[in-house]
Amino acid sequence: DMHAPSAVFYATSSLAIMAVNKIVLTSYGFPSPPVVALCQMILTLILLGLAKSLKLVSFPDVSMDVVWKVFPLPLLYLANVITGLGGTKLINLPMFTLLRRFSILMTMILEGWLLNSRPTNIVKFSVLLMIGGALVAASNDLAFDLVGYIFLFLNDFFTALNGVTLKQKLDSKELGSFGLMFYNCLISMPITVFIVGFDTRSLDNLQAFEYWHDIGFQLSFLGSCAMGFVLTYSIFLCTQFNSALTTTVVGCLKNVLVAYYGMSLADYKFSVLNFVGINVSIVGSFVYSYAKYMERATPPKELIEAEATKKISESEA
């Protein structure tokens, strides 16, 4: 059963990349989130290309048919990565983790619309608890940054849409998780290069960046690139064995640790209302986890009815 291991793998990977991205973009002040995204894509392509040449993994060769099958996933993936990195740079960690809760609500709505999935009442209640706590905390965020909030709400939307679309693509099993990873990056990369080249101010800041030769920055940047590959694979794996909503909430449960850790950092400004909102949202995360556990522990109604019908038939025979 890969349900729990895939979720834990995703949570660990997500925690690690958030920490290392925060170091690169905030502690060192690296000026260009799209460059980080571009380097993550390049490393992913190199690793998967090498693995395919060594026959460790397999996926279809490049063709227009393959490109058509992947769309629109690369565009959603790219938007998700860039808005997420932009939000990481501008928002303190407790509020970043809290505002990510809105991706759960968006995923739940999109799963119902596109995948015909219907959550239970306790799941709906837990999601509303998370959202309510996030709104209370945001209403008294003393370090409010409008651009950062816009980045994060866009990131929530693209996370939800990417997760649901990814679930559809993985369920079709045409390309497999490695194939989708490879073509996601291959198609997204030219667009990212254009974004980087178009932003001349960012290019000037990159040339003037003072930590290029700092060993701590180099290790952090390399770690960010490597974890980009690991995180992408963990998302694919978790979504394959679980629902898109579960993948989204696992990420938010992991953020419980990040939220409390982030309160110790210099860019967080404490207020009672903000602190209460954060904790209400965290309680909602735990209620959701309990609800999903009970769903998995309880046999589906259809299975119970089928077993009952089978026993009646056997007794009549």
Side-chain angles (χ1 to χ4, degrees):
D1 184 1
M2 286 294 292
H3 292 294
S6 62
V8 171
F9 178 42
Y10 165 57
T12 306
S13 303
S14 184
L15 188 64
I17 196 170
M18 186 179 290
V20 76
N21 281 343
K22 192 68 179 171
I23 292 171
V24 171
L25 294 169
T26 303
S27 299
Y28 284 103
F30 189 73
S32 179
V35 169
V36 177
L38 179 62
C39 292
Q40 290 175 352
M41 292 173 198
I42 291 171
L43 186 60
T44 297
L45 288 172
I46 291 172
L47 291 175
L48 284 178
L50 185 62
K52 185 183 181 185
S53 66
L54 296 173
K55 301 191 184 304
L56 298 175
V57 300
S58 63
F59 48 85
D61 294 328
V62 179
S63 69
M64 284 307 299
D65 182 53
V66 170
V67 170
W68 179 250
K69 286 177 181 175
V70 172
F71 263 88
L73 209 52
L75 299 180
L76 299 176
Y77 163 77
L78 178 61
N80 190 24
V81 169
I82 291 179
T83 53
L85 288 169
T88 302
K89 183 177 176 65
L90 296 171
I91 301 290
N92 63 68
L93 280 179
M95 286 310 302
F96 178 89
T97 59
L98 216 61
L99 294 172
R100 291 285 289 137
R101 300 292 198 276
F102 284 89
S103 64
I104 301 172
L105 178 62
M106 294 177 186
T107 301
M108 190 169 70
I109 293 169
L110 286 171
E111 276 195 333
W113 181 38
L114 297 175
L115 302 180
N116 201 30
S117 174
R118 296 289 179 266
T120 60
N121 288 333
I122 190 171
V123 169
K124 292 177 183 176
F125 170 73
S126 66
V127 171
L128 290 176
L129 204 59
M130 284 186 269
I131 296 300
L135 289 172
V136 169
S139 70
N140 199 30
D141 180 12
L142 301 180
F144 177 79
D145 185 300
L146 178 60
V147 176
Y149 268 61
I150 291 172
F151 264 118
L152 267 184
F153 280 118
L154 285 172
N155 184 234
D156 289 337
F157 173 73
F158 288 123
T159 295
L161 196 54
N162 184 67
V164 174
T165 307
L166 179 59
K167 184 68 176 175
Q168 290 177 315
K169 299 289 185 183
L170 285 171
D171 284 347
S172 71
K173 302 187 185 302
E174 291 181 275
L175 299 175
S177 55
F178 290 115
L180 282 173
M181 281 178 66
F182 183 84
Y183 288 107
N184 244 355
C185 294
L186 185 66
I187 298 168
S188 300
M189 195 168 68
I191 305 170
T192 313
V193 170
F194 173 78
I195 292 171
V196 171
F198 185 77
D199 188 359
T200 54
R201 183 191 300 177
S202 182
L203 290 175
D204 292 337
N205 291 336
L206 283 171
Q207 288 182 330
F209 185 61
E210 60 182 312
Y211 293 108
W212 281 121
H213 301 292
D214 184 280
I215 187 66
F217 168 76
Q218 291 171 355
L219 290 174
S220 299
F221 192 84
L222 185 61
S224 176
C225 295
M227 286 310 303
F229 168 78
V230 174
L231 176 65
T232 302
Y233 179 59
S234 72
I235 291 172
F236 278 55
L237 206 61
C238 188
T239 306
Q240 186 172 2
F241 290 104
N242 301 281
S243 71
L245 180 57
T246 298
T247 303
T248 303
V249 175
V250 165
C252 287
L253 271 177
K254 164 268 311 176
N255 289 341
V256 171
L257 297 175
V258 178
Y260 286 123
Y261 165 70
M263 289 179 190
S264 66
L265 300 180
D267 59 352
Y268 174 70
K269 293 179 174 61
F270 176 83
S271 76
V272 175
L273 196 60
N274 182 265
F275 183 76
V276 169
I278 288 173
N279 284 279
V280 168
S281 189
I282 285 171
V283 169
S285 297
F286 286 117
V287 172
Y288 174 84
S289 299
Y290 172 77
K292 297 307 286 186
Y293 171 77
M294 292 305 295
E295 280 182 17
R296 292 206 181 280
T298 306
K301 181 181 178 183
E302 293 83 359
L303 183 59
I304 296 173
E305 291 175 350
E307 287 293 324
T309 304
K310 182 180 177 183
K311 287 180 181 178
I312 292 171
S313 301
E314 288 174 349
S315 64
E316 289 175 349

